[in-house]
Amino acid sequence: MLFVNYDIHAKREELLSSLSENDLIVTQEKYDTSRGVPEIHIKQKGDKIKITCTFTGRNTKDNGFLEGTYFVGKISESDGKTALRGIILTAPIYHAILTIIFGLFIYQCISLGGFNPVPVILLIFSIFMFRDEFRKQKIIKRYIFRAFKNTFSKLNEKGR
C-alpha cells in the first residue's frame, strides 16, 4: 500500500491530459522488458480517478488476480493549484482475507498454546504469487510522478 499526495500549480485539465499521455510517460520509464511492458489504464469519473497497470508482451497473461493493483484517488483544483491524493492498493480482497486468517492464527496460538504452519505458508505463498503485483505499485507511483513532471515541464515551456 502506497500513499500518493502530489500538488502542482496547474489547471486540472492540464494534469489530466498529461496523465492520459500513456505512451509518452511509459517510454520515459526504464524497466525490465523480460517481465513485460507496463500498460496504464485511466478511468475518471468526476473528481475520482482510477489508474490500473497491466503487463503486456510476456509469456503468461497478466490477469490482475482479485482486483489487481490500482490507484484510487481524488483530483481537486482550488486557487490554480491541482492536488492528486489517493492510495495504491494490491489485491485488497485477498489481503483482507489473509489478514483475517493471520489474526485467527495469532488468536489460536495464544488461546490454545499451539502453532499451526498454515498461515506462515500462506504468507510465503502470497509473497511469491504477488511479487509482480507489488512491483506494479512502484510503476504506478512513478507514472503519476512523471505525469506531474511532464505537466511542470509544459508549464515552463509556456512561461508560466
Side-chain angles (χ1 to χ4, degrees):
M1 177 170 28
L2 294 174
F3 294 98
V4 174
N5 185 6
Y6 291 134
D7 296 325
I8 192 168
H9 290 285
K11 293 184 179 177
R12 179 176 178 218
E13 292 78 25
E14 292 172 332
L15 179 61
L16 287 173
S17 70
S18 287
L19 279 170
S20 63
E21 293 175 1
N22 291 339
D23 296 335
L24 176 65
I25 296 173
V26 171
T27 54
Q28 292 175 349
E29 185 68 37
K30 293 181 175 86
Y31 46 83
D32 183 14
T33 56
S34 66
R35 293 186 177 193
V37 177
E39 189 175 295
I40 303 293
H41 308 282
I42 299 172
K43 294 178 187 173
Q44 183 202 1
K45 189 174 187 181
D47 286 347
K48 296 180 181 179
I49 190 166
K50 183 175 182 178
I51 300 173
T52 57
C53 177
T54 57
F55 286 126
T56 59
R58 63 186 207 178
N59 296 337
T60 58
K61 185 178 185 284
D62 184 4
N63 60 359
F65 181 72
L66 288 177
E67 291 285 324
T69 300
Y70 58 90
F71 166 80
V72 172
K74 187 175 182 181
I75 188 166
S76 60
E77 181 181 3
S78 64
D79 300 329
K81 185 177 181 182
T82 303
L84 182 66
R85 299 189 187 345
I87 188 168
I88 301 173
L89 297 170
T90 297
I93 297 169
Y94 174 78
H95 286 98
I97 293 169
L98 187 67
T99 303
I100 291 169
I101 290 172
F102 208 71
L104 183 63
F105 163 70
I106 291 172
Y107 170 75
Q108 286 182 337
C109 283
I110 293 170
S111 66
L112 300 176
F115 178 76
N116 188 351
V118 173
V120 177
I121 292 169
L122 277 174
L123 186 64
I124 293 169
F125 168 75
S126 68
I127 289 170
F128 285 113
M129 183 172 176
F130 290 105
R131 181 176 52 220
D132 281 343
E133 288 295 323
F134 286 118
R135 195 174 76 125
K136 288 181 192 177
Q137 286 185 353
K138 294 176 186 170
I139 290 174
I140 292 173
K141 188 163 185 173
R142 287 193 313 250
Y143 178 86
I144 294 169
F145 178 75
R146 286 192 186 276
F148 271 82
K149 188 176 172 182
N150 286 346
T151 304
F152 185 72
S153 297
K154 287 179 187 176
L155 291 174
N156 283 341
E157 288 174 4
K158 291 180 182 178
R160 281 203 255 168

